[in-house]
Amino acid sequence: MNTASDILICRGVRSRYPDGTLALDAVDVSIKRGERVALIGPNGAGKSTLLRVLPGLQPFDGTVIVDGIVLSDKTQREVRQRIGLVFQNPDDQLFSPTIGEDVGFGPAAMGCSRTEVRERTASALAAMGLETLGPKNPLHLSFGERRRAAIATVLAMHPSLLAMDEPGSNLDPLHRRRLIAWLCEHEEYTLLLATHDLDMAAQTCDRVLLLSQHIVADGSARSILTDTALLTAHGLEPPLGLQELRFRGE
Ligand SMILES: Nc1ncnc2c1ncn2[C@@H]1O[C@H](COP(=O)(O)OP(=O)(O)OP(=O)(O)O)[C@@H](O)[C@H]1O
Ligand SMILES: [Mg+2]
């Protein structure tokens, strides 16, 4: 197996919560550098759990390899610099007195110079349309603005793998469309996008993983998202306007 181009490998990943809930059972998946992958599945399928496993935020059994580094207590710090995880809840991501400080925190912690921190902060804020909100307290932003700020904190880290958990939820239609456009323009990111927004998945990803404790289907976005029997069997609603669905690169 050629693993050199794999940015992420999960082998036999199991994760159980302290109350006994088995959220992930034998997840096997690998993602190549530059791939754009959507992770879909109904509520409770384990999407957020899997994304939290990747930077070592969630206990698990099995093997996770990120950019050639086997995830362990010892390597966690190194792995975290490579995975930019946008949490499902932006309030888990924002903790500084201002949005600008939140966005600059990651690059500063990585050892970037002050000039570089400033540049990365400005560019990540601009990418999310938050240029004027840098000095504001996260508590004084709307939920959708906090979501965009949380995305900006991750973009500023220039991660090898951009892992996003429902980044489009609570965005107004304009900002949802802007996020899709931004993701389409920035092909330099390897993307793992957990989402219920199958239209966003089609527009931004080439490959789709269907999760239900383990990976039950893995294929091209078109083959999975147009398979109404498969989607329905796993508690998902086929996208409305299936015929009009626009697929990335088609
Ligand atoms: N802290 C926790 N303690 C116990 N069980 C948990 C905890 N967090 C999640 N779970 C359970 O783990 C399973 C997977 O949850 P997870 O949040 O990963 O699902 P999800 O696919 O992200 O769902 P959603 O689409 O609602 O975001 C669910 O059965 C959930 O009830
Ligand atoms: Mg979730």
Side-chain angles (χ1 to χ4, degrees), residues 3-67:
T3 54
S5 62
D6 287 320
I7 202 152
L8 173 70
I9 301 173
C10 295
R11 287 199 205 113
V13 170
R14 268 167 76 91
S15 183
R16 192 184 285 283
Y17 285 98
D19 70 355
T21 306
L22 184 62
L24 299 174
D25 190 11
V27 172
D28 285 303
V29 69
S30 53
I31 294 179
K32 295 202 181 307
R33 203 173 296 279
E35 270 195 304
R36 320 271 300 188
V37 184
L39 180 65
I40 64 170
N43 290 143
K47 303 180 297 297
S48 297
T49 306
L50 180 58
L51 292 193
R52 284 199 303 264
V53 160
L54 306 182
L57 297 172
Q58 183 81 27
F60 68 98
D61 294 321
T63 305
V64 173
I65 306 172
V66 176
D67 228 353

Side-chain angles (χ1 to χ4, degrees), residues 22 28 69 80 84 103 170 185:
L22 184 62
D28 285 303
I69 305 166
R80 278 189 193 167
V103 176
N170 296 95
E185 277 163 28

